[in-house]
Amino acid sequence: MPEVISSQGVISHDDWVLVERPAEGETLTLPSGPVLVPLDYWAANAGELSGRGDIGVWLDGHDDPDVLAAFANDLPVIAINFPKFSDGRGYSTARLLRERHGYRNDLRAVGDVLLDQLQFMKRCGFSSFVLRADKDIGKAASCLNFFSQGYQAATDTDEPLFRRRA
Amino acid sequence: MYVYDEHDRQMLAERVAQFRDQTQRALAGELSEEEFLPLRLQNGLYVQRYAPMFRIAVPYGMLRSQQLRRLARITRDYDKGYAHFTTRQNIQLNWPQLEEVPDILAELAEVEMHANQTSGNCIRNTTTDQFAGVNSEEVTDPRPYCEIIRQWSTYHPEFAYLPRKFKIAVNASPHSDRAAIQVHDIGLQIVRNAAGELGFKVYVGGGLGRTPMIGAVIREFLPELDLMTYLEAIVRVYNRFGRRDNKYKARIKILVKALTPEGYRQKVEEEWAHIKDSPTRLTRAAIDAMKKHFTEPAYADLADCSDTLAELRFRHKTFNDWLTHNVHPHKRAGYAIVTLTLKKTGVPTGDVTDRQLEQIADLADAYSFGEVRVTHEQNVVLADVRQDRLFELWQALTPLDFAIANLNTLNDMICCPGGDYCSLANAKSIPIAEAIQRRFDNLDFLYDLGRIDLNISGCMNACGHHHVGHIGVLGVDKKGQEFYQISLGGSSQHDASIGKILGPSFASEAMPDVVEKIIDVYVNNRTEEEEFLDTYRRIGIQPFKERVYA
């Protein structure tokens, strides 16, 4: 059973089904139930999809979050895919969605999501995490809080250490 | 020098605990090698040719005597009793055991040291001028800004998985650049504008390696309070748009070239417009608080003692040579900056034994307020020595082989560990350095040649900075044989340039002869006031080619 852990460390059943990008020439048919659709599919069908509580969007590493600028908060979930855990674009994408576009709903990390990166993801604004299948979600909560503080301002705090010290 | 507070100590303790846990999971097979790789790299640990190699951070090159003694102990307890000063003001151990690295980190943390981000695709150790704070030329002391950058870049949540490594260097001297800022991913030159305000001239996209490039200026004047937001904008643009498909094309310089410097500048300015007033913006109070960590030591009120020194110079030629070459003027009357050279022929460049580390610590305590600086040329600086004790210090240094007066000469070469240690290397570099040092063993001849930067790298990753050597040597592999390619005319100073390749490469035995021929051409063509680089720039590469390949 797929599970998701929140940035607060709460594990729950993951209801969202991620729909892959259709191959060239194929059309996408959505399964029933809550789905995460690729950004370009959503952009092409925004009129009919937006405002639906069961449709979220997922962004790939190269996707530009600016596309969602005006609509972000219409979406119940935005997922950011990590094609490889070592591909760090998703961290910037997350901060832009939160800090630039004011996105307030669930921001989910999907793909090659491991344990040791979770706290950085959380600091960049992710609020939920679907771990790679072979990783033990039971260990995630402690990884989310390994560091008691950070030096920088990020999505989680407006107070970089130099401001707290002053 | 920066002293940790409870925040720094707490985060560092957490980092050590985290890496201990990660190491255990790696050893237990819970983390694959691929998953462990960036974690261990960002804690300084490489897996090398014969053993792991462990790189310890020396932020902007500053070390206290207590830290040197701890390093000495660590090399004894966990390694083979020696360490290596790198070309990025860091320190490497060549023989640690993987399972002991968390213990080494814990020992380092006790003296406010670490190995954070000394490798991996993240923001690395920020480097600066080894004469920071003591040279009269600088606009202001760059170290408070280096420490501010260090803290911002340490465990930065957004920038731990950049396309490639990322290096920042800061310089504050208008006429010299001992930090080589134009060959860094970001180079910051501290300047004052017409109104007298402090700020930064910002270079991006410099670098060595496979595709050497001089950085481009994307901002002539960045006000000092805007430093962190602007750096965040530069790195964010790189993180989002830098290439990730090919590690050889992943450095920021490739992106800057693809977008053009103007195109990159526009993207940065656009990004920056959104975040320039964000909480990351520095405050006057934060800068002032940081500056308090870098106040002057308790200098005595002294006058310069030129007369006494002149007399001693007259009586002792070797002291005279040392004073001329290894001692630099200090901003404070009665003091001097002394460089200890670690370039003894027969000893791998930058290598020091545990005992030598302790000797340096003792010298720092006795002569320089307990602090030293490590240079990217792999020497060590005592920055605050009383002039009236220079002769005494020289006498103390001489038997320790730290007083070899070859600073900035042909024999003061930069040299990477090369094929003797490094798994990336195509060729050995240490024996080449040694053979050249043996050929040019007459100091007076070296002095007559003037300043010559000879830089040797064992592969194109260019840890030995060969591209910016006046004479650069690059080890290459040809069908399993080690060969050496020469380039001429590089410079890492304000007039930075990338050296031009002379021609086909040479076998190792030929190298001393080849260098000698290059020197001959210079000597035969120079005018009275010219240094090597001036002559090269005037006459071009052709005369050197003709002589070497005659």
Side-chain angles (χ1 to χ4, degrees), chain A residues 92 132 135 148 151-152 163, chain B residues 8 14 35 158 279 281:
Chain A
S92 291
R132 199 175 74 193
K135 291 294 160 189
S148 56
Y151 282 105
Q152 313 76 7
R163 286 179 190 268
Chain B
D8 301 293
E14 287 161 357
E35 290 163 20
E158 185 180 346
R281 185 165 199 259

Side-chain angles (χ1 to χ4, degrees), chain B residues 279-490:
Chain B
T280 297
R281 185 165 199 259
L282 282 172
T283 61
R284 174 59 47 205
I287 293 176
D288 290 346
M290 189 56 81
K291 286 193 177 195
K292 291 209 177 79
H293 284 279
F294 297 91
T295 49
E296 290 185 350
Y299 291 127
D301 274 321
L302 302 169
D304 283 337
C305 36
S306 337
D307 292 349
T308 331
L309 289 174
E311 201 203 314
L312 287 163
R313 276 179 186 273
F314 186 72
R315 294 215 310 258
H316 305 270
K317 180 183 181 303
T318 39
F319 176 68
N320 178 44
D321 289 343
W322 178 75
L323 209 54
T324 304
H325 294 278
N326 293 20
V327 179
H328 284 80
H330 196 284
K331 68 174 184 188
R332 176 92 184 187
Y335 283 85
I337 307 169
V338 174
T339 303
L340 279 53
T341 42
L342 305 180
K343 306 292 168 74
K344 185 178 190 256
T345 303
V347 178
T349 308
D351 274 11
V352 277
T353 64
D354 58 332
R355 186 72 202 107
Q356 284 179 311
L357 286 167
E358 286 163 344
Q359 287 162 345
I360 294 169
D362 293 345
L363 291 164
D365 282 339
Y367 293 94
S368 196
F369 299 97
E371 289 181 3
V372 304
R373 292 105 183 276
V374 181
T375 81
H376 85 268
E377 296 95 351
Q378 303 171 284
N379 293 315
V380 170
V381 170
L382 297 179
D384 297 293
V385 179
R386 286 174 64 135
Q387 291 178 10
D388 57 11
R389 299 186 68 195
L390 281 170
F391 188 71
E392 176 193 333
L393 173 60
W394 171 73
Q395 288 177 311
L397 293 179
T398 302
L400 305 176
D401 290 325
F402 292 145
I404 299 164
N406 59 6
L407 191 69
N408 294 334
T409 69
L410 182 68
N411 272 2
D412 179 26
M413 42 199 60
I414 296 180
C415 180
C416 73
D420 290 300
Y421 295 100
C422 177
S423 60
L424 301 172
N426 291 323
K428 292 191 179 73
S429 47
I430 293 167
I432 300 299
E434 186 180 336
I436 295 169
Q437 281 178 332
R438 289 197 191 284
R439 176 65 59 93
F440 295 92
D441 60 352
N442 180 325
L443 279 174
D444 286 322
F445 181 64
L446 288 175
Y447 300 152
D448 176 61
L449 296 177
R451 177 166 189 146
I452 300 182
D453 295 351
L454 178 78
N455 297 356
I456 308 175
S457 305
C459 75
M460 30 205 197
N461 292 303
C463 294
H465 303 179
H466 64 277
H467 300 296
V468 289
H470 302 158
I471 302 174
V473 177
L474 166 66
V476 291
D477 177 280
K478 279 202 214 162
K479 299 183 184 135
Q481 299 280 321
E482 296 182 353
F483 280 84
Y484 298 87
Q485 185 183 72
I486 304 254
S487 56
L488 296 180

